[in-house]
Amino acid sequence: AVGVSIFGVHEDVANARIRFRDGCIADLTASRASQSAARKMRIWASEGYATLDFATKSATIIRPSEPLREGQVDVAGVDLTKPAEVKEHLFGKLLRVDSVQGENQDQLTLELQDFVRSVRSGATPRVSGDDGLRAIRVAHEILKSLRTHAWEGSTDGPVGPHDLPDRLAEPITGLPEPKLWRYRGARVAGSSDDRTTA
């Protein structure tokens, strides 16, 4: 995992790669430095590709046609000098594109409703306490990895609390170590000049 700070001393953007025992890989990115809120998931597999947009409650699934699976790419009659025609052939004949529009429901409300239903009826919740605990453990491992793989924007040396202006140098207890951009005025260890890295 790597993370960078934009607003202060703690990471505002973080990325983590998780490898599962069965060979699956998940790349997770979280940011509070974006202009617009977005919650998306993209899934790649040998069967095709799916993208889910949780904000718009929509999904797009792209799957290869049988001829394409067998290695047959027929472009007869397609004018390859016209990108729009090539795109239409690719995403109409060679690849099957399906769009799904979900119901306009709020996931957080559904989560609370499921919790109340479980309490009232004694039914097993869709996400158990064990599932929640495993998620917290994964988050904890990501934070540990952020500290281990601090991205500093430079290979010239570490950036630490001693490199910060006074207002940022005070430690905040109970939180993970900061992951910082090198900012104007930060002195590189062993150097007398100022560096700025973006």
Side-chain angles (χ1 to χ4, degrees):
V2 291
V4 293
S5 172
I6 297 171
F7 303 126
V9 297
H10 297 286
E11 55 275 353
D12 300 300
V13 181
N15 178 268
R17 170 166 282 200
I18 301 174
R19 296 176 189 270
F20 295 88
R21 287 192 185 115
D22 65 0
C24 289
I25 295 174
D27 281 314
L28 310 176
T29 301
S31 170
R32 57 182 168 209
S34 177
Q35 262 185 303
S36 56
R39 287 189 299 143
K40 294 184 178 180
M41 178 186 291
R42 295 178 180 92
I43 303 167
W44 289 269
S46 57
E47 300 86 0
Y49 162 77
T51 178
L52 294 84
D53 187 326
F54 295 102
T56 62
K57 315 291 192 295
S58 62
T60 301
I61 304 165
I62 301 174
R63 289 173 279 194
S65 63
E66 281 305 315
L68 186 58
R69 285 181 190 273
E70 295 168 4
Q72 301 171 16
V73 181
D74 182 11
V75 292
V78 179
D79 187 345
L80 300 178
T81 64
K82 297 181 179 176
E85 194 172 321
V86 173
K87 181 179 178 181
E88 183 181 340
H89 181 74
L90 177 62
F91 290 99
K93 302 251 194 285
L94 299 176
L95 296 170
R96 175 181 168 185
V97 180
D98 295 306
S99 296
V100 179
Q101 184 63 50
E103 295 180 22
N104 190 20
Q105 295 178 312
D106 178 65
Q107 290 87 357
L108 297 178
T109 300
L110 292 173
E111 176 186 339
L112 294 174
Q113 288 173 346
D114 183 67
F115 175 74
V116 171
R117 179 189 60 79
S118 299
V119 171
R120 287 180 173 166
S121 67
T124 303
R126 294 183 69 180
V127 178
S128 70
D130 287 338
D131 294 333
L133 179 59
R134 281 195 292 272
I136 293 294
R137 285 178 174 155
V138 169
H140 180 70
E141 288 300 315
I142 290 171
L143 288 174
K144 279 174 43 181
S145 184
L146 283 172
R147 288 191 292 273
T148 304
H149 301 100
W151 184 84
E152 286 136 15
S154 173
T155 58
D156 295 328
V159 174
H162 60 280
D163 296 317
L164 298 172
D166 292 339
R167 66 183 179 80
L168 296 179
E170 298 174 10
I172 300 174
T173 59
L175 294 173
E177 291 288 324
K179 312 298 174 248
L180 302 173
W181 293 79
R182 189 177 303 281
Y183 65 93
R184 188 176 309 282
R187 297 203 176 269
V188 176
S191 171
S192 61
D193 63 336
D194 291 343
R195 306 279 177 88
T196 302
T197 303

